Amino acid sequence: MRQHAVYVTALLIVLVPVFIVPGCKKSTDDDELVGNWSISTDFENDARAEAVLFTIGNKAYLGTGVSSTERYNDLWEYDLDKGYWTRMKEFPGAARSAAIAFAVGGIGYVGTGTDGYDEFADMYAFDPVANTWNSSLKPFPGGARKDAIAFTIGDKGYVCSGYDGSDLQDLWEYTPNGDGWEQKKSISRRRSAATVFVMDSKAYVVSGSNNGTALNDLLVYDPSTNDWTEKRKLTNVSDESYDDEYTSIARYNAVSFVMNNKAYLATGQYGSYMSTVWEYNVATDQWTERTAFEGKLREGAVAMVLNNRGFVLTGRNGSEYYYNMFEFNPTAEQNDDDNQ
């Protein structure tokens, strides 16, 4: 969602694609790449970008966001087994985009973001069993912002970076028991609209925007040591051959998701909208290009994994907003017939 909504989360400027940036068109080598994108269940409400999404069990919850005409404070539940969306109790805060969301202990947490004029620091908790919101949580102590990232490790939630007039780099840990926040070690460089995934109880922060430039770093946060480790760069900067094709990994306002101990990076933009999809192998600290995203190019989308199946949905391209959803099978052969 660039989350300067969700997205995850977003600039409100209409972006004009520049089609000469490497990696921003469908790869001419797709026949040699692995992975297949197929059209899936459409989101059943208004097309939007920069929404929030969190998962609890085998269900996903999508809400807030922005379209060409308005911002939203709705919430929808997706049941993969049933294959449809159900409207849940409305988010009690102001309609917003570029907010954050995470889930801990069967409860979803939503906060921060922007209404297009002001940023927010308020936080809310959603109980999907009771279908109720708790509006009495303490505000996020890092201050009002948009385009932050959020993640869950164990029984804690985390909020990092974002934008409040300038890019940010602070990190905060949330403990639901006691509704308490504690500041942790900041990430090394300021950024907004970054992408994050969690593997083996560590958070991997990918790229992001620093003064409008996509950072070429991958940083890992380990809560057990409260420390950050930098992995190999996302561009071709070494004398080795592994990164010779690293021309289109760095980006912002993208999505990531994890399946079978591999992470996948898709959508987003850097100069223009990115179609290239990259798979990250934690064991080797290397990236491999996979079949390009086969929907319309977009930023500010959201992603989810349910039953070890990965999906990308919503988002925007300039003034065009989307409600469609695509599923990615990383081991299947690419098939044009199932994404129309």
Side-chain angles (χ1 to χ4, degrees):
M1 21 261 59
R2 174 169 175 170
Q3 322 285 355
H4 284 353
V6 63
Y7 199 334
V8 250
T9 259
L11 290 176
L12 302 178
I13 302 173
V14 175
L15 300 172
V16 179
V18 179
F19 294 103
I20 61 174
V21 177
C24 300
K25 57 181 178 60
K26 188 170 180 177
S27 172
T28 57
D29 298 322
D30 267 1
D31 289 343
E32 302 174 9
L33 300 178
V34 177
N36 184 58
W37 291 92
S38 57
I39 197 73
S40 188
T41 307
D42 288 341
F43 175 56
E44 293 187 25
N45 199 250
D46 294 347
R48 66 189 67 190
E50 301 171 355
V52 293
L53 186 145
F54 57 91
T55 60
I56 297 175
N58 291 324
K59 295 179 180 179
Y61 298 86
L62 185 154
T64 70
V66 63
S67 70
S68 58
T69 59
E70 64 180 300
R71 282 179 170 78
Y72 299 93
N73 62 348
D74 54 354
L75 182 72
W76 294 77
E77 177 188 81
Y78 181 66
D79 187 316
L80 180 62
D81 294 331
K82 295 178 180 178
Y84 61 81
W85 295 84
T86 301
R87 188 158 194 160
M88 307 300 285
K89 187 169 183 180
E90 190 172 84
F91 173 69
R96 66 191 65 196
S97 59
I100 57 93
F102 57 88
V104 180
I107 302 296
Y109 297 85
V110 178
T112 70
T114 180
D115 63 2
Y117 301 97
D118 299 310
E119 281 73 62
F120 302 113
D122 49 352
M123 293 292 302
Y124 304 85
F126 178 71
D127 182 342
V129 176
N131 191 22
T132 58
W133 287 92
N134 180 353
S135 303
S136 63
L137 299 186
K138 298 173 184 174
F140 172 60
R145 65 187 65 195
K146 61 184 179 181
D147 285 334
I149 53 174
F151 53 92
T152 302
I153 298 178
D155 60 355
K156 311 283 187 181
Y158 297 84
V159 177
C160 181
S161 65
Y163 186 85
D164 69 351
S166 62
D167 297 317
L168 302 166
Q169 65 190 112
D170 52 343
L171 172 67
W172 294 82
E173 178 185 82
Y174 179 70
T175 303
N177 184 14
D179 188 25
W181 291 91
E182 181 179 354
Q183 189 167 8
K184 296 295 183 177
K185 185 175 181 179
S186 297
I187 198 167
S188 59
R189 296 189 66 186
R190 295 172 179 244
R191 68 196 66 212
S192 56
T195 311
V196 62
F197 60 88
V198 174
M199 294 184 69
D200 299 325
S201 299
K202 296 177 182 177
Y204 292 73
V205 178
V206 186
S207 194
S209 174
N210 179 294
N211 277 335
T213 297
L215 295 168
N216 73 334
D217 58 5
L218 172 64
L219 295 127
V220 185
Y221 178 71
D222 186 343
S224 68
T225 60
N226 186 32
D227 205 3
W228 292 89
T229 302
E230 185 168 6
K231 310 301 282 186
R232 288 169 168 168
K233 295 293 188 181
L234 306 179
T235 51
N236 181 15
V237 297
S238 81
D239 295 329
E240 301 179 55
S241 61
Y242 74 88
D243 58 357
D244 288 351
E245 305 300 321
Y246 284 13
T247 59
S248 61
I249 304 175
R251 62 189 70 186
Y252 42 81
N253 219 13
V255 298
S256 63
F257 51 98
V258 175
M259 294 187 293
N260 297 321
N261 295 316
K262 301 287 179 62
Y264 297 90
L265 178 72
T267 68
Q269 65 109 356
Y270 182 30
S272 71
Y273 298 103
M274 311 293 280
S275 69
T276 52
V277 174
W278 291 85
E279 176 188 270
Y280 180 67
N281 187 324
V282 172
T284 62
D285 187 22
Q286 292 185 23
W287 295 84
T288 302
E289 189 174 359
R290 295 305 186 195
T291 300
F293 181 69
E294 296 184 71
K296 290 187 177 180
L297 304 189
R298 65 193 67 194
E299 65 164 352
V302 292
M304 62 187 180
V305 173
L306 297 173
N307 293 339
N308 203 37
R309 296 167 59 185
F311 301 87
V312 174
L313 61 155
T314 66
R316 71 177 173 198
N317 185 316
S319 60
E320 186 174 14
Y321 290 76
Y322 305 114
Y323 51 71
N324 51 12
M325 178 163 70
F326 293 83
E327 179 175 0
F328 183 60
N329 184 331
T331 61
E333 183 178 350
Q334 193 269 338
N335 179 4
D336 286 331
D337 293 335
D338 59 6
N339 57 39
Q340 302 300 322

